[in-house]
Amino acid sequence: MRILTGIDLVDISDFEKSYKNGRENFKKRVFHSAEIKNEELGHLAGVFAAKEAVMKALSLKPGSWLQITIRNKKDGRPFVTLTPKTTKKIKFQSCDLSISHTEKFGVAVFVAIL
């Protein structure tokens, strides 16, 4: 059994600049349509941090954002889904994701058990 972890912290003011400068192109490169139903910056920064944390934990190539989808269960708890191509390479028994944000920062932690 292997335990993999990833964490990411996003400065929301820096994220806002990138998001506004790249608007549609940035959104298409990073987010799935289900992830941008809520375009509040803290939420999007948290989703971005979650994707980065997953990439770090699973050693995915930088920029593999569209291989990862962040969704929420009915109770609001976030969870991760990966593309079928990615799940063929990486098979984990269990995983967990936590996301939080303040006015200034978004943070996410991802843990997977292989």
Side-chain angles (χ1 to χ4, degrees), residues 27-51:
K27 283 170 44 175
K28 287 178 184 176
R29 277 191 358 251
V30 175
F31 299 106
H32 293 280
S33 59
E35 296 169 327
I36 56 173
K37 288 180 180 175
N38 174 358
E39 288 199 60
E40 189 267 323
L41 282 173
H43 167 77
L44 292 175
V47 171
F48 185 85
K51 288 179 173 239

PDB file of all heavy atoms in Angstrom, residues 27-51:
ATOM      1  N   LYS A  27     -10.402  29.542 -18.981  1.00  0.00           N
ATOM      2  CA  LYS A  27     -11.489  28.655 -18.541  1.00  0.00           C
ATOM      3  C   LYS A  27     -11.490  27.348 -19.334  1.00  0.00           C
ATOM      4  O   LYS A  27     -11.635  26.266 -18.760  1.00  0.00           O
ATOM      5  CB  LYS A  27     -12.848  29.348 -18.692  1.00  0.00           C
ATOM      6  CG  LYS A  27     -13.116  30.363 -17.607  1.00  0.00           C
ATOM      7  CD  LYS A  27     -14.312  31.245 -17.812  1.00  0.00           C
ATOM      8  CE  LYS A  27     -15.569  30.650 -18.291  1.00  0.00           C
ATOM      9  NZ  LYS A  27     -16.691  31.605 -18.335  1.00  0.00           N
ATOM     10  N   LYS A  28     -11.300  27.415 -20.643  1.00  0.00           N
ATOM     11  CA  LYS A  28     -11.319  26.213 -21.487  1.00  0.00           C
ATOM     12  C   LYS A  28     -10.120  25.310 -21.222  1.00  0.00           C
ATOM     13  O   LYS A  28     -10.226  24.093 -21.338  1.00  0.00           O
ATOM     14  CB  LYS A  28     -11.347  26.605 -22.966  1.00  0.00           C
ATOM     15  CG  LYS A  28     -12.683  27.147 -23.403  1.00  0.00           C
ATOM     16  CD  LYS A  28     -12.649  27.557 -24.863  1.00  0.00           C
ATOM     17  CE  LYS A  28     -13.961  28.190 -25.262  1.00  0.00           C
ATOM     18  NZ  LYS A  28     -13.937  28.698 -26.640  1.00  0.00           N
ATOM     19  N   ARG A  29      -8.969  25.897 -20.883  1.00  0.00           N
ATOM     20  CA  ARG A  29      -7.762  25.111 -20.604  1.00  0.00           C
ATOM     21  C   ARG A  29      -7.802  24.424 -19.252  1.00  0.00           C
ATOM     22  O   ARG A  29      -7.178  23.387 -19.062  1.00  0.00           O
ATOM     23  CB  ARG A  29      -6.522  26.016 -20.637  1.00  0.00           C
ATOM     24  CG  ARG A  29      -5.964  26.282 -21.978  1.00  0.00           C
ATOM     25  CD  ARG A  29      -4.584  26.963 -21.936  1.00  0.00           C
ATOM     26  NE  ARG A  29      -4.061  27.277 -20.637  1.00  0.00           N
ATOM     27  CZ  ARG A  29      -3.953  28.511 -20.138  1.00  0.00           C
ATOM     28  NH1 ARG A  29      -4.342  29.545 -20.825  1.00  0.00           N
ATOM     29  NH2 ARG A  29      -3.441  28.711 -18.942  1.00  0.00           N
ATOM     30  N   VAL A  30      -8.520  25.026 -18.290  1.00  0.00           N
ATOM     31  CA  VAL A  30      -8.419  24.568 -16.902  1.00  0.00           C
ATOM     32  C   VAL A  30      -9.679  23.879 -16.379  1.00  0.00           C
ATOM     33  O   VAL A  30      -9.587  22.878 -15.667  1.00  0.00           O
ATOM     34  CB  VAL A  30      -8.058  25.765 -15.986  1.00  0.00           C
ATOM     35  CG1 VAL A  30      -8.054  25.362 -14.528  1.00  0.00           C
ATOM     36  CG2 VAL A  30      -6.720  26.361 -16.382  1.00  0.00           C
ATOM     37  N   PHE A  31     -10.854  24.389 -16.728  1.00  0.00           N
ATOM     38  CA  PHE A  31     -12.087  23.939 -16.084  1.00  0.00           C
ATOM     39  C   PHE A  31     -13.036  23.203 -17.028  1.00  0.00           C
ATOM     40  O   PHE A  31     -13.160  23.558 -18.194  1.00  0.00           O
ATOM     41  CB  PHE A  31     -12.841  25.143 -15.501  1.00  0.00           C
ATOM     42  CG  PHE A  31     -12.077  25.903 -14.462  1.00  0.00           C
ATOM     43  CD1 PHE A  31     -11.532  27.145 -14.750  1.00  0.00           C
ATOM     44  CD2 PHE A  31     -11.889  25.377 -13.198  1.00  0.00           C
ATOM     45  CE1 PHE A  31     -10.824  27.859 -13.798  1.00  0.00           C
ATOM     46  CE2 PHE A  31     -11.181  26.075 -12.229  1.00  0.00           C
ATOM     47  CZ  PHE A  31     -10.652  27.313 -12.529  1.00  0.00           C
ATOM     48  N   HIS A  32     -13.729  22.222 -16.463  1.00  0.00           N
ATOM     49  CA  HIS A  32     -14.858  21.580 -17.143  1.00  0.00           C
ATOM     50  C   HIS A  32     -16.092  22.434 -16.877  1.00  0.00           C
ATOM     51  O   HIS A  32     -16.159  23.156 -15.881  1.00  0.00           O
ATOM     52  CB  HIS A  32     -15.083  20.162 -16.600  1.00  0.00           C
ATOM     53  CG  HIS A  32     -13.961  19.226 -16.938  1.00  0.00           C
ATOM     54  ND1 HIS A  32     -13.857  18.630 -18.165  1.00  0.00           N
ATOM     55  CD2 HIS A  32     -12.900  18.814 -16.218  1.00  0.00           C
ATOM     56  CE1 HIS A  32     -12.777  17.872 -18.196  1.00  0.00           C
ATOM     57  NE2 HIS A  32     -12.175  17.964 -17.023  1.00  0.00           N
ATOM     58  N   SER A  33     -17.090  22.321 -17.727  1.00  0.00           N
ATOM     59  CA  SER A  33     -18.295  23.154 -17.588  1.00  0.00           C
ATOM     60  C   SER A  33     -18.971  22.964 -16.227  1.00  0.00           C
ATOM     61  O   SER A  33     -19.494  23.915 -15.652  1.00  0.00           O
ATOM     62  CB  SER A  33     -19.282  22.881 -18.722  1.00  0.00           C
ATOM     63  OG  SER A  33     -19.659  21.524 -18.725  1.00  0.00           O
ATOM     64  N   ALA A  34     -18.940  21.750 -15.695  1.00  0.00           N
ATOM     65  CA  ALA A  34     -19.554  21.494 -14.382  1.00  0.00           C
ATOM     66  C   ALA A  34     -18.838  22.247 -13.262  1.00  0.00           C
ATOM     67  O   ALA A  34     -19.440  22.552 -12.238  1.00  0.00           O
ATOM     68  CB  ALA A  34     -19.547  19.999 -14.087  1.00  0.00           C
ATOM     69  N   GLU A  35     -17.571  22.550 -13.454  1.00  0.00           N
ATOM     70  CA  GLU A  35     -16.781  23.210 -12.411  1.00  0.00           C
ATOM     71  C   GLU A  35     -16.988  24.721 -12.381  1.00  0.00           C
ATOM     72  O   GLU A  35     -16.677  25.359 -11.384  1.00  0.00           O
ATOM     73  CB  GLU A  35     -15.292  22.922 -12.623  1.00  0.00           C
ATOM     74  CG  GLU A  35     -14.948  21.458 -12.470  1.00  0.00           C
ATOM     75  CD  GLU A  35     -13.551  21.136 -12.925  1.00  0.00           C
ATOM     76  OE1 GLU A  35     -13.041  21.774 -13.870  1.00  0.00           O
ATOM     77  OE2 GLU A  35     -12.958  20.221 -12.330  1.00  0.00           O
ATOM     78  N   ILE A  36     -17.501  25.302 -13.466  1.00  0.00           N
ATOM     79  CA  ILE A  36     -17.635  26.758 -13.520  1.00  0.00           C
ATOM     80  C   ILE A  36     -19.083  27.223 -13.432  1.00  0.00           C
ATOM     81  O   ILE A  36     -19.397  28.359 -13.766  1.00  0.00           O
ATOM     82  CB  ILE A  36     -16.952  27.358 -14.768  1.00  0.00           C
ATOM     83  CG1 ILE A  36     -17.486  26.722 -16.036  1.00  0.00           C
ATOM     84  CG2 ILE A  36     -15.449  27.242 -14.658  1.00  0.00           C
ATOM     85  CD1 ILE A  36     -16.981  27.377 -17.293  1.00  0.00           C
ATOM     86  N   LYS A  37     -19.949  26.358 -12.935  1.00  0.00           N
ATOM     87  CA  LYS A  37     -21.333  26.794 -12.700  1.00  0.00           C
ATOM     88  C   LYS A  37     -21.346  27.919 -11.667  1.00  0.00           C
ATOM     89  O   LYS A  37     -22.161  28.814 -11.720  1.00  0.00           O
ATOM     90  CB  LYS A  37     -22.191  25.626 -12.245  1.00  0.00           C
ATOM     91  CG  LYS A  37     -22.484  24.651 -13.364  1.00  0.00           C
ATOM     92  CD  LYS A  37     -23.334  23.509 -12.900  1.00  0.00           C
ATOM     93  CE  LYS A  37     -23.590  22.564 -14.052  1.00  0.00           C
ATOM     94  NZ  LYS A  37     -24.309  21.368 -13.631  1.00  0.00           N
ATOM     95  N   ASN A  38     -20.425  27.831 -10.717  1.00  0.00           N
ATOM     96  CA  ASN A  38     -20.243  28.879  -9.713  1.00  0.00           C
ATOM     97  C   ASN A  38     -18.949  29.609 -10.081  1.00  0.00           C
ATOM     98  O   ASN A  38     -17.867  29.063  -9.940  1.00  0.00           O
ATOM     99  CB  ASN A  38     -20.143  28.266  -8.316  1.00  0.00           C
ATOM    100  CG  ASN A  38     -19.810  29.282  -7.239  1.00  0.00           C
ATOM    101  OD1 ASN A  38     -19.603  30.458  -7.504  1.00  0.00           O
ATOM    102  ND2 ASN A  38     -19.744  28.812  -6.017  1.00  0.00           N
ATOM    103  N   GLU A  39     -19.049  30.844 -10.571  1.00  0.00           N
ATOM    104  CA  GLU A  39     -17.863  31.580 -10.999  1.00  0.00           C
ATOM    105  C   GLU A  39     -17.312  32.520  -9.930  1.00  0.00           C
ATOM    106  O   GLU A  39     -16.525  33.415 -10.223  1.00  0.00           O
ATOM    107  CB  GLU A  39     -18.140  32.344 -12.298  1.00  0.00           C
ATOM    108  CG  GLU A  39     -18.249  31.410 -13.482  1.00  0.00           C
ATOM    109  CD  GLU A  39     -18.059  32.103 -14.809  1.00  0.00           C
ATOM    110  OE1 GLU A  39     -16.976  32.686 -15.043  1.00  0.00           O
ATOM    111  OE2 GLU A  39     -19.000  32.064 -15.612  1.00  0.00           O
ATOM    112  N   GLU A  40     -17.693  32.304  -8.683  1.00  0.00           N
ATOM    113  CA  GLU A  40     -17.138  33.084  -7.579  1.00  0.00           C
ATOM    114  C   GLU A  40     -15.641  32.742  -7.493  1.00  0.00           C
ATOM    115  O   GLU A  40     -15.247  31.575  -7.556  1.00  0.00           O
ATOM    116  CB  GLU A  40     -17.879  32.721  -6.289  1.00  0.00           C
ATOM    117  CG  GLU A  40     -17.556  33.593  -5.102  1.00  0.00           C
ATOM    118  CD  GLU A  40     -16.454  33.014  -4.258  1.00  0.00           C
ATOM    119  OE1 GLU A  40     -16.404  31.789  -4.098  1.00  0.00           O
ATOM    120  OE2 GLU A  40     -15.623  33.798  -3.780  1.00  0.00           O
ATOM    121  N   LEU A  41     -14.803  33.768  -7.390  1.00  0.00           N
ATOM    122  CA  LEU A  41     -13.353  33.569  -7.472  1.00  0.00           C
ATOM    123  C   LEU A  41     -12.802  32.634  -6.404  1.00  0.00           C
ATOM    124  O   LEU A  41     -11.914  31.835  -6.681  1.00  0.00           O
ATOM    125  CB  LEU A  41     -12.623  34.909  -7.421  1.00  0.00           C
ATOM    126  CG  LEU A  41     -12.650  35.682  -8.730  1.00  0.00           C
ATOM    127  CD1 LEU A  41     -12.054  37.074  -8.545  1.00  0.00           C
ATOM    128  CD2 LEU A  41     -11.899  34.946  -9.822  1.00  0.00           C
ATOM    129  N   GLY A  42     -13.297  32.730  -5.180  1.00  0.00           N
ATOM    130  CA  GLY A  42     -12.828  31.831  -4.127  1.00  0.00           C
ATOM    131  C   GLY A  42     -13.108  30.379  -4.474  1.00  0.00           C
ATOM    132  O   GLY A  42     -12.263  29.501  -4.282  1.00  0.00           O
ATOM    133  N   HIS A  43     -14.294  30.125  -5.005  1.00  0.00           N
ATOM    134  CA  HIS A  43     -14.667  28.760  -5.421  1.00  0.00           C
ATOM    135  C   HIS A  43     -13.734  28.269  -6.519  1.00  0.00           C
ATOM    136  O   HIS A  43     -13.180  27.173  -6.445  1.00  0.00           O
ATOM    137  CB  HIS A  43     -16.116  28.736  -5.903  1.00  0.00           C
ATOM    138  CG  HIS A  43     -16.478  27.477  -6.625  1.00  0.00           C
ATOM    139  ND1 HIS A  43     -16.739  26.303  -5.970  1.00  0.00           N
ATOM    140  CD2 HIS A  43     -16.590  27.223  -7.949  1.00  0.00           C
ATOM    141  CE1 HIS A  43     -16.996  25.367  -6.867  1.00  0.00           C
ATOM    142  NE2 HIS A  43     -16.913  25.901  -8.069  1.00  0.00           N
ATOM    143  N   LEU A  44     -13.554  29.083  -7.573  1.00  0.00           N
ATOM    144  CA  LEU A  44     -12.706  28.675  -8.692  1.00  0.00           C
ATOM    145  C   LEU A  44     -11.250  28.498  -8.279  1.00  0.00           C
ATOM    146  O   LEU A  44     -10.575  27.574  -8.737  1.00  0.00           O
ATOM    147  CB  LEU A  44     -12.820  29.682  -9.829  1.00  0.00           C
ATOM    148  CG  LEU A  44     -14.171  29.722 -10.537  1.00  0.00           C
ATOM    149  CD1 LEU A  44     -14.191  30.838 -11.568  1.00  0.00           C
ATOM    150  CD2 LEU A  44     -14.504  28.386 -11.174  1.00  0.00           C
ATOM    151  N   ALA A  45     -10.770  29.356  -7.393  1.00  0.00           N
ATOM    152  CA  ALA A  45      -9.399  29.211  -6.891  1.00  0.00           C
ATOM    153  C   ALA A  45      -9.250  27.905  -6.115  1.00  0.00           C
ATOM    154  O   ALA A  45      -8.225  27.225  -6.209  1.00  0.00           O
ATOM    155  CB  ALA A  45      -9.022  30.401  -6.017  1.00  0.00           C
ATOM    156  N   GLY A  46     -10.286  27.535  -5.360  1.00  0.00           N
ATOM    157  CA  GLY A  46     -10.270  26.268  -4.639  1.00  0.00           C
ATOM    158  C   GLY A  46     -10.250  25.074  -5.576  1.00  0.00           C
ATOM    159  O   GLY A  46      -9.523  24.099  -5.361  1.00  0.00           O
ATOM    160  N   VAL A  47     -11.035  25.137  -6.641  1.00  0.00           N
ATOM    161  CA  VAL A  47     -11.049  24.059  -7.642  1.00  0.00           C
ATOM    162  C   VAL A  47      -9.685  23.975  -8.323  1.00  0.00           C
ATOM    163  O   VAL A  47      -9.142  22.881  -8.520  1.00  0.00           O
ATOM    164  CB  VAL A  47     -12.177  24.276  -8.675  1.00  0.00           C
ATOM    165  CG1 VAL A  47     -12.060  23.294  -9.839  1.00  0.00           C
ATOM    166  CG2 VAL A  47     -13.543  24.159  -8.005  1.00  0.00           C
ATOM    167  N   PHE A  48      -9.113  25.123  -8.664  1.00  0.00           N
ATOM    168  CA  PHE A  48      -7.781  25.161  -9.270  1.00  0.00           C
ATOM    169  C   PHE A  48      -6.755  24.530  -8.331  1.00  0.00           C
ATOM    170  O   PHE A  48      -5.940  23.690  -8.745  1.00  0.00           O
ATOM    171  CB  PHE A  48      -7.402  26.607  -9.600  1.00  0.00           C
ATOM    172  CG  PHE A  48      -6.100  26.737 -10.322  1.00  0.00           C
ATOM    173  CD1 PHE A  48      -6.043  26.612 -11.700  1.00  0.00           C
ATOM    174  CD2 PHE A  48      -4.928  27.005  -9.633  1.00  0.00           C
ATOM    175  CE1 PHE A  48      -4.830  26.741 -12.380  1.00  0.00           C
ATOM    176  CE2 PHE A  48      -3.725  27.138 -10.295  1.00  0.00           C
ATOM    177  CZ  PHE A  48      -3.670  27.004 -11.677  1.00  0.00           C
ATOM    178  N   ALA A  49      -6.793  24.902  -7.053  1.00  0.00           N
ATOM    179  CA  ALA A  49      -5.871  24.338  -6.060  1.00  0.00           C
ATOM    180  C   ALA A  49      -6.068  22.829  -5.950  1.00  0.00           C
ATOM    181  O   ALA A  49      -5.092  22.078  -5.831  1.00  0.00           O
ATOM    182  CB  ALA A  49      -6.076  25.008  -4.700  1.00  0.00           C
ATOM    183  N   ALA A  50      -7.318  22.378  -6.000  1.00  0.00           N
ATOM    184  CA  ALA A  50      -7.596  20.940  -5.916  1.00  0.00           C
ATOM    185  C   ALA A  50      -6.981  20.192  -7.093  1.00  0.00           C
ATOM    186  O   ALA A  50      -6.358  19.137  -6.925  1.00  0.00           O
ATOM    187  CB  ALA A  50      -9.106  20.705  -5.865  1.00  0.00           C
ATOM    188  N   LYS A  51      -7.130  20.741  -8.287  1.00  0.00           N
ATOM    189  CA  LYS A  51      -6.552  20.095  -9.465  1.00  0.00           C
ATOM    190  C   LYS A  51      -5.025  20.033  -9.351  1.00  0.00           C
ATOM    191  O   LYS A  51      -4.402  19.020  -9.678  1.00  0.00           O
ATOM    192  CB  LYS A  51      -6.972  20.837 -10.737  1.00  0.00           C
ATOM    193  CG  LYS A  51      -8.442  20.628 -11.077  1.00  0.00           C
ATOM    194  CD  LYS A  51      -8.817  21.409 -12.323  1.00  0.00           C
ATOM    195  CE  LYS A  51     -10.208  21.083 -12.776  1.00  0.00           C
ATOM    196  NZ  LYS A  51     -10.265  20.565 -14.127  1.00  0.00           N
TER     197      LYS A  51
END
